[in-house]
Amino acid sequence: MNKNVIYLLDCQFDDEWHKRDVAVDKILENKNTLTHDYISSVLQSSWEQDTQEEWSSLTIRRIENYAQSVGADVVKFDNKLLNRMPLPSSFHQYQRAVFLKFQILREFESSMYDRMLFLDLDILILNDQENIFKELSSPGIYMAPDYNPATTLSCKQKLFEFFKIKKDLIPLIDMPREKRNFYNPPQHWFNNQAFYNWGVLVGDKTHVARLNRFIPAPTQWEDFFKKFNLCHNPQDSVYKKYLMEQDCLLYFLDLADLQIQRLPRKWNFEHFCVQPSDEVNFVHMYDKGLIQLFDKPFKMKSFCSLFELYNYKLNE
């Protein structure tokens, strides 16, 4: 019996930010009442749900192959998991889906498995020769820093406005150049000033259970949001971002007095901000249109070759 498990969250969305047809219909039907900012935000969407079945068929297939090679089971959750975790009706569809990651932590705690790996659906496995469970065998919860400065600063603002917590979160890009190492960032920065990316999470049952003690039970989430007057789903006052699961994670980690362990960059490679390398195992493919370049008929194997193809220029 396998003692390791890989969790996937494959939710379907049918709102205007994810389905082009829904967006067109809603704008045409309500064009006289919709604000310019709202229409602009919708038109800037990539409507990923229209092609999710195509690009996710590749990422899931590679994840399933990887699970077989490292001796792990794959457990997939979808929209049905929402029935176990009621959230305020004001939360939009994507927001509700990502909060299900907290429910997956509870599913793992009550499971027969000893170690878990959570992967976002847009994680593309390029190298299946290294076993993440063996490499990260020491106890703890492992995550990589999120290098998006906008989400980092927005999280800092939301923690202060919504939870009255002051955290000195600093985007790595704002660090002095001599300390700005995207592959091996300063340990003090990671421990105290980093915002963590939940696209990849590795954990053992003891540490996940310890964190779960400070996370609301499935039926207590609405009470949690009521306590902090968040049921109306406010945005922060500066960056105009909604509360997301990665924001709340920092709040719960503070309560649990739990330190995240640093996940090596090769296990959650953010292609939009880090210089390319072929020493990459998992790539976080935010640009979903690029995923299919790694499947037939393209058969793109080298990550550096992708950058060469598009002549990407990244400056650290």
Side-chain angles (χ1 to χ4, degrees), residues 103-120:
Q103 180 61 24
I104 289 177
L105 295 182
R106 291 195 173 275
E107 297 288 332
F108 169 62
E109 183 183 357
S110 62
S111 74
M112 62 181 180
Y113 302 106
D114 295 333
R115 293 180 63 77
M116 66 165 284
L117 166 62
F118 174 85
L119 295 176
D120 269 353

Side-chain angles (χ1 to χ4, degrees), residues 99-305:
F99 267 93
L100 291 178
K101 295 178 182 180
F102 289 113
Q103 180 61 24
I104 289 177
L105 295 182
R106 291 195 173 275
E107 297 288 332
F108 169 62
E109 183 183 357
S110 62
S111 74
M112 62 181 180
Y113 302 106
D114 295 333
R115 293 180 63 77
M116 66 165 284
L117 166 62
F118 174 85
L119 295 176
D120 269 353
L121 205 60
D122 58 357
I123 296 293
L124 180 66
I125 296 181
L126 294 184
N127 176 19
D128 60 4
Q129 300 304 305
E130 295 187 55
N131 188 330
I132 193 171
F133 293 106
K134 287 185 177 180
E135 179 172 327
L136 305 178
S137 57
S138 298
I141 297 176
Y142 293 80
M143 302 176 77
D146 192 308
Y147 288 150
N148 187 325
T151 55
T152 301
L153 294 173
S154 174
C155 176
K156 179 179 180 178
Q157 187 69 24
K158 284 180 276 190
L159 288 175
F160 177 70
E161 287 188 26
F162 300 159
F163 302 113
K164 309 306 178 187
I165 292 178
K166 289 186 177 181
K167 289 189 74 71
D168 187 26
L169 301 182
I170 300 177
L172 189 60
I173 195 68
D174 291 341
M175 296 280 285
R177 182 173 290 274
E178 64 272 13
K179 297 182 179 180
R180 197 190 311 157
N181 188 324
F182 286 98
Y183 285 95
N184 187 25
Q187 191 63 43
H188 179 271
W189 171 82
F190 180 82
N191 290 343
N192 301 283
Q193 298 170 304
F195 176 57
Y196 305 119
N197 184 281
W198 204 333
V200 181
L201 180 149
V202 179
D204 68 279
K205 186 161 290 185
T206 298
H207 284 80
V208 170
R210 177 179 162 187
L211 177 59
N212 280 343
R213 290 200 295 270
F214 296 89
I215 296 173
T219 59
Q220 295 175 344
W221 278 97
E222 286 190 288
D223 291 335
F224 170 77
F225 291 119
K226 285 179 182 177
K227 175 182 176 181
F228 293 100
N229 193 29
L230 297 172
C231 285
H232 61 298
N233 197 19
Q235 297 175 318
D236 72 83
S237 62
V238 177
Y239 301 96
K240 307 300 180 184
K241 301 291 185 182
Y242 292 107
L243 185 68
M244 304 301 284
E245 88 288 4
Q246 293 181 167
D247 306 315
C248 287
L249 176 64
L250 288 185
Y251 172 73
F252 298 132
L253 287 170
D254 262 18
L255 293 180
D257 192 24
L258 189 62
Q259 179 62 59
I260 292 294
Q261 304 301 309
R262 185 162 61 84
L263 182 75
R265 178 52 50 190
K266 64 182 179 180
W267 296 111
N268 187 357
F269 190 87
E270 298 188 24
H271 68 85
F272 69 88
C273 67
V274 185
Q275 288 290 350
S277 168
D278 280 333
E279 296 180 2
V280 174
N281 296 333
F282 300 172
V283 183
H284 209 151
M285 300 293 289
Y286 297 101
D287 189 340
K288 310 299 189 291
L290 297 179
I291 292 177
Q292 289 173 282
L293 291 178
F294 291 84
D295 200 9
K296 297 178 181 179
F298 304 100
K299 296 183 179 179
M300 185 86 65
K301 295 181 179 179
S302 165
F303 193 63
C304 279
S305 64

Side-chain angles (χ1 to χ4, degrees), residues 17-78:
W17 286 278
H18 294 87
K19 299 285 287 185
R20 186 189 303 269
D21 290 345
V22 175
V24 171
D25 290 344
K26 188 157 188 176
I27 290 175
L28 291 177
E29 291 174 5
N30 303 278
K31 59 183 179 182
N32 294 325
T33 58
L34 298 177
T35 66
H36 178 269
D37 289 344
Y38 171 84
I39 295 176
S40 296
S41 69
V42 172
L43 294 180
Q44 290 171 13
S45 173
S46 58
W47 296 297
E48 295 167 355
Q49 194 68 64
D50 287 340
T51 59
Q52 179 168 312
E53 186 174 344
E54 298 174 15
W55 59 259
S56 67
S57 64
L58 173 60
T59 59
I60 292 174
R61 184 169 72 249
R62 292 198 177 192
I63 291 170
E64 290 174 338
N65 291 339
Y66 182 76
Q68 187 174 9
S69 69
V70 300
D73 292 333
V74 175
V75 177
K76 288 184 282 189
F77 292 103
D78 56 23

Side-chain angles (χ1 to χ4, degrees), residues 73-92:
D73 292 333
V74 175
V75 177
K76 288 184 282 189
F77 292 103
D78 56 23
N79 300 59
K80 295 177 183 177
L81 193 61
L82 287 166
N83 298 328
R84 305 186 205 173
M85 186 176 164
L87 294 172
S89 58
S90 58
F91 280 36
H92 56 76

